Amino acid sequence: MMQIINIQKDMFVVSLYLGFFMGISYDIVRCLRRLISHNNLFIAIEDIIYWCTWTVVIIDSIVTYNSGCLRGYIFLGLLLGCIFYLTTISCIMMPIVSRMLYNVQKCLKKLNKMLKNVFIRGKIDLIVTRKR
């Protein structure tokens, strides 16, 4: 009897971790969406890939830790882990990461503009040099 309780406890803890990492991975997807402009089709494709990936991971962990038996506490653990992440760490990290990504994007745009100017000037210099 004690062994069954320990297995269920382990599966609950694993589902808490999985929910936590689901939140982290979704924040990564959100950051990518902020960094790179997406249309609705690509957003839908990203969401499908996200959910298919996590479905495989969750089913594999259920088969590994709980012999494939679905239990309510597994889904409760997933939900609690995700809620814990989204209400604590995500609230702190997302504004910081968004600001960092915005600054990186701004620097990359400036660098791109500078490189274009150098390339155009180099092309003009090359044309002027050939004419002489």
Side-chain angles (χ1 to χ4, degrees):
M1 183 68 166
M2 196 64 170
Q3 184 181 12
I4 294 172
I5 293 173
N6 284 333
I7 291 170
Q8 291 176 350
K9 174 191 62 97
D10 292 343
M11 185 61 219
F12 182 72
V13 171
V14 166
S15 65
L16 285 171
Y17 282 122
L18 287 174
F20 186 83
F21 287 113
M22 281 176 68
I24 291 172
S25 63
Y26 197 73
D27 270 355
I28 292 169
V29 170
R30 285 173 41 191
C31 288
L32 288 174
R33 286 181 185 165
R34 289 180 184 178
L35 185 63
I36 303 167
S37 180
H38 291 77
N39 63 19
N40 289 338
L41 176 66
F42 287 117
I43 290 173
I45 291 170
E46 285 174 351
D47 284 343
I48 289 169
I49 291 170
Y50 171 84
W51 284 110
C52 288
T53 303
W54 277 105
T55 299
V56 169
V57 170
I58 290 168
I59 289 173
D60 182 59
S61 65
I62 289 172
V63 168
T64 302
Y65 290 98
N66 206 27
S67 302
C69 295
L70 292 176
R71 302 283 186 225
Y73 64 85
I74 295 171
F75 298 105
L76 179 66
L78 290 168
L79 182 67
L80 290 176
C82 195
I83 288 173
F84 175 74
Y85 172 77
L86 292 175
T87 57
T88 57
I89 299 170
S90 179
C91 293
I92 297 167
M93 291 302 294
M94 278 306 288
I96 294 169
V97 171
S98 293
R99 190 62 154 157
M100 286 173 47
L101 288 175
Y102 173 75
N103 289 335
V104 167
Q105 192 175 27
K106 210 163 92 173
C107 290
L108 288 175
K109 284 182 181 179
K110 286 182 182 179
L111 180 64
N112 188 24
K113 188 175 180 180
M114 286 175 25
L115 289 175
K116 281 182 181 179
N117 288 338
V118 167
F119 179 72
I120 290 170
R121 286 185 186 144
K123 195 174 185 180
I124 293 170
D125 289 342
L126 185 62
I127 292 170
V128 171
T129 307
R130 283 187 183 172
K131 288 183 180 180
R132 289 184 190 173

